[in-house]
Amino acid sequence: MSSITSKTSNRKDSFEQASKEIPSKWQGFKDSFKRAESSSSPTTQNLTDVEKAIEQTAKSPLKKNLKKRQLQMIAIGGAIGTGLFIGSGTALRTGGPAALLIGWGIVATFLYCTMQAMAELVALFPVSGSFSTYATRFIEPSWGFAVGWNYAIFWVIVLPLELVACSLTIKFWESSINSVAWVAIFYVFIMVLNLCGNKGFGEAEFIFSIIKVVAIIGFNILAIVIICGGSPKGGYVGAKYWHDPGAFTAGFKGVVTVFITATYSFAGTELVGLTAAESEGNPRIVLPKAIKQVFYRIIIFYMLTLTLVGFLVPSNSTELIGSSSDSSASPFVIAIRNGGIQALPSIFNAVVLISLLSIGNASVYGFSRTIVALGEQGLAPSIFAYIDREGRPLVGFLLCAIVGLLSFVAASPVQSTVLAWLLALAGLSTLFTWFSICVAHVRFRMALKHQGRSTEELPYIAKTGMWGSIYSAVMLVIVLCLQFWVSLYPIGESPNASTFFENYIGAVVVLVFYVGHKLYTKNLKIIIPVNELDIDSGRRDTDLDKLQQEILEEKEKLAAQPWYIRLRAFLF
């Protein structure tokens, strides 16, 4: 009898225990949205504003969950999207195939220098906000405020931009479903991904990037076959479109006009630097390796691909974006369709759609991480610094979700106009971000020299050095000035205020934020003196002797490897 009673009691206890586990899981889910405990120092009252910003961003409670493979794929294919697949069509029609290569090629040179500068900084300072934080500590808080908000605005605008582009891409299949329904589906999909934290973002970008990389490699092989006359239609294509309608459509001004589209197509390349504070591995090893692969993305996925597109699609094609009602057509899809291949246009259009979703996914991540860093630095309301126990910047996420509702402009007859405004704003904003990275790197090197310290203490040294950053900064200023010229005097048009602000509004945004912060803080200091720059706070590796010993051992170990291993390490 006692045995039966004991078994009954045990079953009852097991049932009660199981009953307790159900609400505990629910409670755990609810508790995950509570504010995370920060590891920051409890008192910062004796610190300056810049020192407080450094302290807060260096000890942000963001989760370090992003894996090495995810960071590598984000660097390789994460930013491939609207600019390449769709924006290149507008650039081809505006400037011609030669302008396409010149514009992208010039932008690629100073982008590479910019990425090298960023690699050096993020390997040393893997802090929250990355380059927006560097602007505050190495240049000046008002500039950090302007650039940080500029970058945040860029990403929050990209989300509706990509969702609208998705609805345009869907029209390729002549779907009877209202475009707003598709926007709603994609909107929910992206929000759910980012609600899963950086794990959801990282894994999604890993899969998206693989699809994009494979698709572009496949397209390049197919394009070569078509150019050589191997398509179902047959006939050698060669360079006939370079002769008729011609290599250039609008001369020098056409090349300058292509710059802004080229800049936008590369926009987001710097996003891998924003992941520094959430990298699972050692940032000094993982991030520079990932950033080095940007060079191959530029050569293979942009320069080679755009060269082939210029051979296959005439610049006067009525199917290119902005020239017909079929605005969902990508020049890549047009190239395949012109080759007489039946199934592939739809398949590649699906790849374009995936690419747009990828950038939309990245936009939520980019905005939420930038705005949380601004909140931590005191450059945005403190509520934006809210990070929950799962490492999610919830307030930034919610604001991005609200602004993302602008994507329902897809139902409006002015969707093409809205797309053009958003594209121009986002592209110009990128120039200021890259400029800020380069200037911050130059200022850091100046402070390092001022303190009599060597680059040997750096975990990664930019291959382009300080002069590469100077070159990049100068080129970005030149491009900004040239963009002012073509915005004021657009191709084939008289000066028009609407056209000017449509193409140059990004500069106005930065100026307003910079001057506004100066007036609000009453801080007239233009730049932080070199002797006041802090080049130690926020380091992941604080023991310099140990760091130098580790680097020396790694070099000696690599030197003992076969030549092909050393070559692979140099290239990748």
Side-chain angles (χ1 to χ4, degrees):
M1 185 70 178
S2 60
S3 175
I4 296 174
T5 304
S6 177
K7 290 180 179 179
T8 303
S9 177
N10 289 338
R11 289 174 182 172
K12 183 178 179 181
D13 291 342
S14 298
F15 177 77
E16 290 178 352
Q17 181 64 28
S19 299
K20 290 179 181 179
E21 288 180 0
I22 295 176
S24 67
K25 290 180 180 179
W26 172 246
Q27 188 63 41
F29 173 74
K30 292 194 298 182
D31 290 344
S32 70
F33 293 95
K34 293 182 178 180
R35 185 187 286 270
E37 295 181 4
S38 176
S39 58
S40 300
S41 175
T43 177
T44 56
Q45 58 183 353
N46 296 324
L47 301 179
T48 64
D49 291 340
V50 175
E51 289 171 339
K52 290 178 183 178
I54 295 173
E55 174 78 7
Q56 292 295 112
T57 54
K59 297 181 179 181
S60 179
L62 294 168
K63 295 282 186 179
K64 296 176 173 59
N65 292 329
L66 291 175
K67 304 181 185 300
K68 178 181 177 181
R69 62 177 175 83
Q70 294 171 337
L71 294 176
Q72 288 177 333
M73 290 310 299
I74 289 172
I76 293 174
I80 297 175
T82 309
L84 178 62
F85 287 130
I86 297 180
S88 59
T90 303
L92 178 60
R93 183 168 180 81
T94 301
L100 203 66
L101 297 183
I102 293 172
W104 258 264
I106 293 176
V107 174
T109 60
F110 54 78
L111 169 62
Y112 181 72
C113 295
T114 302
M115 292 300 292
Q116 284 294 313
M118 188 179 71
E120 182 174 302
L121 290 174
V122 298
L124 188 63
F125 306 107
V127 298
S128 171
S130 186
F131 30 85
S132 65
T133 303
Y134 303 148
T136 300
R137 69 185 292 179
F138 293 126
I139 303 176
E140 197 269 328
S142 293
W143 183 252
F145 175 82
V147 170
W149 274 101
N150 177 51
Y151 194 67
I153 291 172
F154 159 69
W155 278 122
V156 82
I157 283 176
V158 164
L159 177 58
L161 171 67
E162 299 304 309
L163 291 175
V164 169
C166 284
S167 69
L168 296 177
T169 305
I170 287 289
K171 290 183 179 180
F172 175 84
W173 291 292
E174 298 180 356
S175 173
S176 59
I177 301 177
N178 192 298
S179 58
V180 173
W182 289 113
V183 167
I185 293 171
F186 299 140
Y187 174 85
V188 172
F189 174 69
I190 289 174
M191 291 302 139
V192 170
L193 278 180
N194 280 271
L195 200 56
C196 295
N198 57 22
K199 287 184 177 179
F201 161 76
E203 204 60 39
E205 284 304 300
F206 177 76
I207 296 171
F208 289 153
S209 295
I210 288 178
I211 294 173
K212 289 186 284 187
V213 167
V214 171
I216 291 178
I217 292 174
F219 172 82
N220 288 344
I221 295 172
L222 175 64
I224 293 172
V225 172
I226 296 175
I227 291 170
C228 295
S231 69
K233 284 187 176 181
Y236 176 73
V237 178
K240 69 177 184 179
Y241 295 134
W242 281 65
H243 300 287
D244 182 22
F248 297 95
T249 61
F252 177 70
K253 186 174 283 189
V255 175
V256 174
T257 305
V258 169
F259 280 155
I260 194 65
T261 306
T263 303
Y264 178 73
S265 75
F266 285 126
T269 302
E270 73 289 332
L271 184 69
V272 67
L274 206 60
T275 65
E278 299 177 77
S279 171
E280 186 178 68
N282 190 336
R284 80 170 182 85
I285 298 175
V286 176
L287 287 171
K289 282 188 175 181
I291 291 172
K292 280 168 63 178
Q293 296 175 7
V294 170
F295 174 76
Y296 305 103
R297 192 183 86 187
I298 291 172
I299 298 299
I300 298 174
F301 302 142
Y302 284 92
M303 302 311 298
L304 175 59
T305 304
L306 290 172
T307 299
L308 298 174
V309 167
F311 280 124
L312 292 173
V313 182
S315 58
N316 60 355
S317 171
T318 57
E319 295 180 288
L320 289 173
I321 284 184
S323 60
S324 73
S325 60
D326 185 19
S327 58
S328 64
S330 159
F332 292 76
V333 176
I334 295 171
I336 297 172
R337 189 163 51 203
N338 288 348
I341 303 172
Q342 299 300 319
L344 279 181
S346 289
I347 295 175
F348 205 87
N349 201 65
V351 173
V352 173
L353 181 61
I354 290 172
S355 300
L356 299 177
L357 290 173
S358 171
I359 302 299
N361 180 44
S363 68
V364 180
Y365 179 90
F367 173 77
S368 60
R369 269 59 181 183
T370 302
I371 200 72
V372 79
L374 290 172
E376 290 170 341
Q377 296 175 71
L379 300 178
S382 59
I383 188 64
F384 286 114
Y386 188 101
I387 299 175
D388 68 16
R389 295 179 182 178
E390 289 298 315
R392 296 170 298 203
L394 280 185
V395 178
F397 171 81
L398 290 174
L399 179 58
C400 192
I402 293 171
V403 177
L405 295 175
L406 287 172
S407 57
F408 289 95
V409 74
S412 169
V414 297
Q415 60 180 0
S416 297
T417 302
V418 173
L419 188 65
W421 273 85
L422 295 178
L423 183 64
L425 175 60
L428 201 56
S429 298
T430 304
L431 292 176
F432 290 100
T433 301
W434 294 351
F435 176 79
S436 181
I437 293 172
C438 295
V439 174
H441 179 241
V442 171
R443 296 276 296 160
F444 164 73
R445 284 291 191 94
M446 290 172 64
L448 196 69
K449 183 179 180 180
H450 178 79
Q451 296 186 20
R453 294 160 66 172
S454 170
T455 55
E456 292 181 359
E457 70 178 60
L458 304 180
Y460 179 80
I461 301 175
K463 296 184 183 299
T464 52
M466 187 174 75
W467 286 105
S469 296
I470 293 174
Y471 160 75
S472 182
V474 171
M475 288 301 299
L476 285 162
V477 172
I478 292 174
V479 171
L480 193 64
C481 293
L482 290 174
Q483 184 61 30
F484 179 86
W485 173 51
V486 296
S487 298
L488 193 60
Y489 300 99
I491 298 174
E493 299 179 23
S494 301
N496 182 284
S498 176
T499 302
F500 174 79
F501 283 106
E502 180 180 333
N503 293 326
Y504 217 72
I505 194 172
V508 176
V509 171
V510 172
L511 182 62
V512 168
F513 274 92
Y514 178 75
V515 174
H517 188 266
K518 282 289 182 189
L519 295 175
Y520 178 77
T521 60
K522 299 179 181 179
N523 175 22
L524 301 180
K525 185 184 293 184
I526 302 299
I527 198 167
I528 301 175
V530 174
N531 62 326
E532 295 181 12
L533 294 179
D534 181 356
I535 60 174
D536 291 311
S537 300
R539 288 182 179 232
R540 177 72 63 89
D541 301 297
T542 55
D543 190 334
L544 297 184
D545 292 332
K546 180 181 178 182
L547 174 63
Q548 290 178 355
Q549 183 62 32
E550 288 179 357
I551 294 174
L552 180 61
E553 290 176 357
E554 290 169 4
K555 289 180 178 179
E556 291 176 349
K557 183 179 179 180
L558 181 62
Q561 297 294 325
W563 67 269
Y564 55 88
I565 298 294
R566 298 198 302 272
L567 179 63
R568 186 181 67 179
F570 175 77
L571 295 176
F572 301 101

